């Protein structure tokens, strides 16, 4: 058995260097995040349309979401009274600042933030114990964040998450960048150039080192995207990371908040079913090919309601409503659903427990 070091984020310490990735809408809520935190990892709740089950959601989505932040956090905390529990909040979220402030008020240990550059995040958590972690995919974005936070707020990230091209959902890469890494094909496992992205990770590490030296402190780094096995974890640590962030592997657990139909779609998926699709938000996203994606590729779906989810979204010019497609997935209505997934989703062949997945990732089995 490999003895992995705990993941230390300031005064916080997770027994295992495993962060569970935030997955919205409704895939990583209190049940999954609480179970991961209880098992010694870092449990992350996604705030993306977190209140979609609230009876008032259709009428007042923002208010329903803000209420659900506290409700879900409290439920996760009950599962893991001493564990590390936080939120993933997308920068692209409309009213981003309100979500961050509500998460801080709820008692979040950490906020992980991507889908845009979280330039203003430090001022939104000022005076709170909540740790902050930007998600970056390139050395350039790491430099922009660190330079901006240093200059404007005289601080650095408490944790940096590096999310690579094998991740699920929205990706921080253009289609052309994905092609450079061999990550834009259906058979990404065969074509992916790990060495090329490892080089980018080393570049990001150099940026981190520059700010560690300036502030005379360690900035922990977690690598995300395509982490599925203990070997993947060890490879990330060999690159100099302190931990990893894992999403897809936790979807097919008993504790995951997704419905069984969603989990079964992962178990049934073959490698060629996992594709890159253009999301209504304009970014490439990785998902399971299904009848819904085939349908919207040929014709614009009827948008009956705007859920005010994204800062920059014009219902007149998008192929379908992403909130509706993702909430359908979270409700098991797969024929009208967008099924986001990571590059390794086809490797899922059974339902496991969070404890079993954690043991496998850390090499305890």
């Amino acid at each position: 058995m490999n003895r992995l070091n705990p993941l230390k984020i300031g005064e916080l310490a997770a027994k295992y260097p495993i962060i569970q990735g935030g997955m919205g809408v409704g895939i990583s809520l209190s049940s999954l995040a609480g179970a991961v935190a209880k098992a010694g990892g870092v449990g992350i709740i996604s705030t993306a349309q977190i209140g979609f089950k609230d009876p008032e959601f259709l009428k007042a989505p923002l208010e329903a979401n803000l209420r659900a932040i506290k409700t879900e956090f409290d439920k996760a905390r009950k599962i893991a009274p001493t564990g590390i529990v936080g939120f993933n909040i997308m920068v692209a979220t409309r009213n981003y600042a309100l979500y961050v402030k509500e998460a801080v008020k709820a008692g979040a240990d950490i906020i992980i933030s991507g889908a845009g550059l979280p330039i203003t995040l430090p001022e939104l958590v000022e005076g709170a114990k909540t740790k902050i972690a930007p998600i970056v995919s390139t050395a350039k974005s790491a430099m922009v964040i660190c330079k901006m936070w240093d200059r404007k707020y005289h601080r650095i990230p408490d944790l940096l998450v590096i999310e690579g091209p094998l991740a699920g959902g929205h990706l921080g890469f253009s289609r052309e960048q994905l092609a450079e890494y061999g990550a834009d094909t259906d058979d990404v496992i065969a074509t992916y150039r790990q060495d090329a992205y490892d080089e980018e990770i080393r570049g990001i590490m150099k940026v981190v080192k520059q700010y560690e030296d300036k502030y005379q402190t360690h900035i922990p780094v977690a690598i995300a995207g395509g982490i599925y096995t203990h070997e993947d974890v060890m490879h990330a640590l060999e690159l100099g990371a302190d931990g990893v962030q894992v999403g897809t592997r936790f979807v097919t657990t008993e504790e995951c908040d997704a419905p069984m139909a969603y989990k079964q779609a992962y178990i049934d998926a073959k490698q060629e079913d996992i594709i890159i699709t253009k999301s209504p938000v304009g970014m490439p996203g990785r998902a399971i090919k299904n009848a819904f994606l085939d349908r919207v590729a040929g014709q614009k779906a009827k948008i009956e309601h705007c859920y005010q989810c994204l800062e920059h979204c014009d219902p007149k010019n998008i192929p379908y409503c992403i909130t509706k497609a993702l909430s359908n997935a979270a409700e098991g209505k797969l024929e009208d659903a967008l099924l986001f997934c990571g590059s390794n989703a086809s490797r899922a062949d059974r339902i496991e427990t969070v404890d079993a997945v954690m043991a496998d990732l850390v090499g305890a089995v």
Side-chain angles (χ1 to χ4, degrees):
M1 174 184 166
N2 292 285
R3 292 246 171 239
L4 299 186
N5 293 326
L7 176 60
K8 293 182 178 170
I9 309 166
E11 72 282 2
L12 300 175
K15 183 180 178 183
Y16 299 120
I18 311 289
I19 301 168
Q20 161 255 311
M23 297 172 282
V25 170
I27 307 305
S28 65
L29 297 174
S30 55
S31 177
L32 179 57
V36 171
K38 186 181 178 185
V42 177
I44 299 294
I45 298 165
S46 168
T47 65
Q49 302 296 51
I50 186 172
F52 76 103
K53 287 182 176 170
D54 189 302
E56 298 294 306
F57 179 67
L58 203 62
K59 265 199 312 206
L62 174 62
E63 292 78 2
N65 286 337
L66 296 178
R67 276 196 300 275
I69 286 173
K70 176 163 173 50
T71 305
E72 291 297 325
F73 182 81
D74 286 350
K75 288 197 303 198
R77 177 57 76 219
K78 201 170 176 186
I79 296 166
T82 59
I84 301 176
V85 179
F87 290 93
N88 179 293
I89 307 178
M90 298 192 304
V91 180
T93 305
R94 189 173 293 192
N95 297 302
Y96 173 73
L98 292 179
Y99 284 77
V100 171
K101 288 175 179 173
E102 200 61 37
V104 169
K105 204 160 82 181
D109 291 314
I110 186 167
I111 290 170
I112 296 175
S113 202
L117 295 174
I119 300 296
T120 61
L121 189 52
E123 70 187 59
L124 299 174
V125 302
E126 200 173 346
K129 66 175 180 63
T130 305
K131 307 297 179 207
I132 52 175
I135 299 174
V136 302
S137 295
T138 63
K140 186 180 174 187
S141 55
M143 181 56 90
V144 168
I145 283 288
C146 289
K147 191 184 269 187
M148 192 73 82
W149 285 13
D150 171 40
R151 199 174 68 214
K152 200 170 175 190
Y153 305 108
H154 310 295
R155 71 163 297 172
I156 46 177
D158 297 303
L159 167 79
L160 191 82
V161 178
I162 302 174
E163 193 168 271
L166 298 184
H170 289 123
L171 304 170
F173 301 89
S174 66
R175 199 74 197 235
E176 294 70 34
Q177 286 172 314
L178 290 172
E180 275 176 45
Y181 297 118
D184 65 331
T185 65
D186 297 352
D187 195 11
V188 66
I189 301 302
T191 56
Y192 181 58
R193 293 180 54 226
Q194 181 76 57
D195 57 330
Y197 194 66
D198 283 357
E199 209 43 54
E200 188 67 41
I201 290 172
R202 290 186 189 99
I204 296 170
M205 293 294 196
K206 282 181 186 160
V207 174
V208 170
K209 177 78 170 68
Q210 196 179 317
Y211 285 89
E212 284 182 330
D213 289 348
K214 179 168 183 178
Y215 281 79
Q216 291 294 291
T217 189
H218 179 57
I219 303 170
V221 170
I223 291 176
I227 309 286
Y228 202 81
T229 64
H230 177 61
E231 289 68 35
D232 297 332
V233 174
M234 295 313 291
H235 179 70
L237 300 183
E238 281 154 17
L239 285 167
D242 301 85
V244 295
Q245 181 178 278
V246 180
T248 294
R249 185 73 198 272
F250 284 114
V251 170
T252 49
T253 58
E254 290 172 11
E255 297 91 341
C256 178
D257 298 87
M260 190 55 216
Y262 189 104
K263 299 173 191 183
Q264 193 62 45
Y266 275 46
I267 292 169
D268 294 342
K270 299 180 181 66
Q271 187 55 46
E272 60 269 23
D273 296 329
I274 297 168
I275 60 165
I276 301 290
T277 181
K278 188 180 177 186
S279 155
V281 306
M283 299 162 79
R286 184 169 278 115
I288 296 174
K289 186 174 167 61
N290 65 353
F292 171 76
L293 283 180
D294 287 341
R295 205 163 61 242
V296 296
Q299 64 183 81
K300 188 178 185 312
K302 189 178 178 191
I303 297 172
E304 295 167 344
H305 184 80
C306 178
Y307 295 87
Q308 307 287 310
C309 62
L310 298 167
E311 193 61 69
H312 304 289
C313 176
D314 180 0
K316 293 193 294 291
N317 296 316
I318 54 172
Y320 60 91
C321 170
I322 193 159
T323 284
K324 191 65 182 155
L326 290 174
S327 60
N328 280 343
E331 289 168 351
K333 301 171 186 169
L334 302 198
E335 64 287 351
D336 293 308
L338 173 61
L339 300 168
F340 272 154
C341 70
S343 56
N344 285 307
S346 65
R347 294 171 73 172
D349 59 5
R350 66 192 188 281
I351 301 295
E352 302 178 89
T353 62
V354 161
D355 281 345
V357 170
M358 287 289 284
D360 188 44
L361 289 171
V362 304
V365 288

